[in-house]
Amino acid sequence: MSKAIVSRAKATNSAIALEDLTGIRERVNQQPRSKAERRRANSWAFYQLRQFLEYKALRAGVALILVPPAYTSQTCHRCLHVHPDPTQSYRSGKQFKCGHCGWEGDADWNGANMIAKLGAVVNQPRGPWLACQLQGYRKPAPYCEAVRAG
């Protein structure tokens, strides 16, 4: 799988954006879960896939960008809106319905598009202004202010 991803990125002169899932097992296992759910969560091979992608992308000269996971699945990829109430979400299981622009669709597809958008802006000359806008991912205030003013 990693070989196919890197080959396609190289052929299309694209970068690869991944959600930085460092520590996901610890976060997921803090919540009350059944033994079967914990076993399923601990069998995820995110880190192994990331390692394979890192060395193959480096060898192929393809950029690999790690995107912070904060709000990627709760932000509308079309209008970049996050539900104003932090205890609420526009995501409901596998469905996503934005209360701001009205876009509806698969929640995972929406999240993947957000990761792609965030990955694209990381390489912008002025820096990742979009990432500064997402709550939960804070660069130091002067950085975001400088990016916004520039």
Side-chain angles (χ1 to χ4, degrees), residues 31-50:
Q31 302 167 2
R33 304 219 181 237
S34 71
K35 186 176 180 180
E37 288 172 325
R38 282 194 309 272
R39 186 179 311 114
R40 192 172 337 131
N42 288 331
S43 68
W44 293 339
F46 299 127
Y47 185 68
Q48 185 178 25
L49 176 60
R50 179 175 156 181

Side-chain angles (χ1 to χ4, degrees), residues 1-2 5-6 16-24 44-58 64-69:
M1 181 183 285
S2 60
I5 293 169
V6 171
I16 300 169
L18 292 177
E19 195 170 36
D20 186 1
L21 297 174
T22 304
I24 191 170
W44 293 339
F46 299 127
Y47 185 68
Q48 185 178 25
L49 176 60
R50 179 175 156 181
Q51 285 181 313
F52 290 166
L53 285 170
E54 282 176 347
Y55 86 80
K56 288 176 182 168
L58 181 64
L64 181 78
I65 299 155
L66 296 177
V67 172

Side-chain angles (χ1 to χ4, degrees), residues 3 9 24 27 35 47 54 60 111 121 127 129-130 134 136 142 145:
K3 185 177 180 181
I24 191 170
R27 289 193 306 272
K35 186 176 180 180
Y47 185 68
E54 282 176 347
V121 298
W129 181 82
L130 176 60
L134 295 176
E145 295 304 318

Side-chain angles (χ1 to χ4, degrees), residues 34-112:
S34 71
K35 186 176 180 180
E37 288 172 325
R38 282 194 309 272
R39 186 179 311 114
R40 192 172 337 131
N42 288 331
S43 68
W44 293 339
F46 299 127
Y47 185 68
Q48 185 178 25
L49 176 60
R50 179 175 156 181
Q51 285 181 313
F52 290 166
L53 285 170
E54 282 176 347
Y55 86 80
K56 288 176 182 168
L58 181 64
R59 188 173 359 148
V62 173
L64 181 78
I65 299 155
L66 296 177
V67 172
Y71 295 92
T72 54
S73 66
Q74 297 173 28
T75 305
C76 177
H77 77 280
R78 181 177 284 169
C79 69
L80 306 178
H81 194 260
V82 180
H83 199 289
D85 181 351
T87 63
Q88 301 283 322
S89 176
Y90 293 135
R91 181 181 177 137
S92 177
K94 292 296 239 173
Q95 286 299 112
F96 187 95
K97 181 175 180 180
C98 182
H100 189 255
C101 73
W103 183 86
E104 293 184 56
D106 183 75
D108 292 334
W109 190 86
N110 179 69

